[in-house]
Amino acid sequence: MKEFTSITQLGGLQQALCEAARVKKTPFADSELGKNRTLLLVFFNNSLRTRLSTQKAALNLGMNVIVLDVNQGAWKLETERGVVMDGDKSEHLLEAIPVMGSYCDMIGVRSFAGLSDRESDYNEVILNQFIKYSGKPVFSMEAATRHPLQTFADIITIEEHKKKARPKVVMTWAPHPKALPQAVPNSFAEGMIYGGYDFVIANPEGYDLAPEFTEGAIVTHDQNEALRGADFVYAKNWSAYEGENYGKVLSRDMSWTVTAEKMALTDGAFFMHCLPVRRNMIVSDEVIESPQSLVIPEAANRVVSAQTVIRRMLLGL
Ligand code: AN0
Ligand code: CP
């Protein structure tokens, strides 16, 4: 695998899940595979889970890891070509990327959507420049439109906990004070459709996601109706995608918070969230602390998901 930017690049999901199960059971089985190979993790945005789990995954495979926080200590980067660089940006991405590529064998990139220019975000301008100019295999650690390592960890977690062959999974929007990208919900929707789950999306009017990610899913604006009979509730906030409202917060409606009352509508569902989560905005203390909450095992599976993907990339090197 030379590139991992979408869950669909895993090919057959069953095969990928088998590899993940093996990685989880014997995490040090390939501790020689990454010997003398260097992974560079480039962060344009904050992270706790991705930063730690991806490093841990690479260390389990015997790799060396370098982490660069672009906004802390590196030169300020220009991303647009053709700009007269007479402002505060000292270096262009078009030099910085091949330089970074020359110091490593593989690159992970985190670059969130800016949420002001939908076209630029949805064209994945930054991530694609890394793919084009680094000369090295590149994987996404959440880019503008997807978070595939999260989605893979989510699917692994669902597979570990499901009680029926084809569980009902409900992804519900929930309120948040700040504008967040659509990457996590886009990617999760893509993963649910790719995995053939019984999948329903519930969001307020004005919050429909890009159709390219939700085609094949049921979308409703009635959260209570969606939750009926659910086996998994996947909560997430996202900002508006549609038209003029792109990147805006249109609602902070607290009746969408996932509470014990809401969970009572489900079929004893498990609660999931990618974290970080704002308690008592997205989900009540009671629900996130309940035995049905999978947020910690879900986060733990980020090591498994990253290690499975990096392992495949090392095998292809
Ligand atoms: C980010 C988001 O919603 O995309 C990262 C989630 C993994 N969340 C925040 O910025 C709070
Ligand atoms: N879920 C996730 O990607 O968390 P971080 O933003 O902390 O990496």
Side-chain angles (χ1 to χ4, degrees):
M1 205 160 46
K2 284 267 172 253
E3 179 188 316
F4 182 66
T5 61
S6 156
I7 186 84
T8 59
Q9 287 164 328
L10 287 177
L13 184 56
Q14 285 319 314
Q15 170 62 28
L17 287 167
C18 269
E19 289 169 31
R22 197 167 344 110
V23 160
K24 187 158 180 167
K25 212 169 152 211
T26 54
F28 306 112
D30 295 304
S31 59
E32 292 290 307
L33 184 64
K35 197 165 178 254
N36 297 332
R37 303 277 190 191
T38 300
L39 172 64
L40 172 64
L41 303 180
V42 183
F43 287 93
F44 287 84
N45 314 93
N46 294 341
S47 164
L48 186 152
R49 277 142 293 273
T50 305
R51 175 186 299 274
L52 298 181
S53 63
T54 313
Q55 287 187 65
K56 174 64 177 147
L59 293 172
N60 286 353
L61 291 163
M63 297 184 89
N64 300 311
V65 190
I66 309 174
V67 180
L68 177 68
D69 284 292
V70 173
N71 300 319
Q72 283 168 31
W75 300 107
K76 228 175 168 185
L77 292 176
E78 177 58 62
T79 55
E80 297 285 317
R81 197 173 168 279
V83 170
V84 177
M85 288 172 59
D86 61 354
D88 63 339
K89 293 176 179 160
S90 308
E91 177 153 27
H92 204 287
L93 206 54
L94 289 171
E95 279 77 55
I97 290 175
V99 168
M100 291 188 237
S102 75
Y103 300 150
C104 65
D105 303 287
M106 192 186 294
I107 306 186
V109 183
R110 165 162 286 200
S111 173
F112 288 179
L115 296 179
S116 52
D117 179 345
R118 185 171 96 172
E119 201 186 315
S120 158
D121 287 345
Y122 275 69
N123 283 330
E124 291 286 8
V125 173
I126 307 269
L127 182 66
N128 283 331
Q129 292 196 71
F130 272 88
I131 291 168
K132 197 162 168 197
Y133 298 117
S134 71
K136 296 290 149 73
V138 170
F139 63 86
S140 162
M141 300 194 295
E142 185 173 340
T145 61
R146 294 177 178 90
H147 193 358
L149 287 175
Q150 181 65 50
T151 305
F152 190 24
D154 296 335
I155 292 178
I156 294 167
T157 310
I158 291 172
E159 288 298 311
E160 287 172 340
H161 290 86
K162 73 180 188 186
K163 292 179 188 135
K164 10 178 128 130
R166 189 165 178 265
K168 177 175 175 182
V169 182
V170 177
M171 178 171 79
T172 180
W173 180 95
H176 188 279
K178 288 189 184 166
L180 296 184
Q182 297 101 32
V184 171
N186 283 343
S187 196
F188 186 73
E190 185 173 61
M192 288 300 100
I193 294 160
Y194 165 67
Y197 296 90
D198 177 5
F199 182 53
V200 178
I201 305 172
N203 57 254
E205 271 176 57
Y207 277 99
D208 287 1
L209 293 163
E212 70 220 63
F213 292 102
T214 59
E215 219 179 286
I218 297 166
V219 180
T220 169
H221 300 146
D222 183 339
Q223 190 193 42
N224 290 349
E225 181 201 295
L227 290 174
R228 280 200 186 93
D231 299 299
F232 293 87
V233 175
Y234 190 93
K236 185 70 185 88
N237 174 267
W238 61 88
S239 60
Y241 167 77
E242 292 169 301
E244 297 279 282
N245 288 329
Y246 179 71
K248 293 205 175 111
V249 174
L250 306 179
S251 165
R252 289 192 178 86
D253 184 350
M254 299 286 280
S255 73
W256 282 73
T257 302
V258 179
T259 58
E261 244 184 347
K262 297 275 180 180
M263 291 300 283
L265 299 170
T266 70
D267 193 7
F270 289 106
F271 174 81
M272 296 178 72
H273 189 280
C274 64
L275 305 181
V277 74
R278 298 219 182 198
R279 282 177 174 228
N280 305 309
M281 291 286 307
I282 303 279
V283 56
S284 69
D285 290 322
E286 197 182 356
V287 170
I288 198 167
E289 291 169 5
S290 74
Q292 292 306 102
S293 171
L294 296 180
V295 295
I296 308 301
E298 184 182 357
N301 276 333
R302 289 293 305 277
V303 177
V304 182
S305 117
Q307 194 170 329
T308 307
V309 167
I310 295 170
R311 182 180 167 275
R312 276 199 184 183
M313 285 191 156
L314 281 171
L315 287 170
L317 272 180

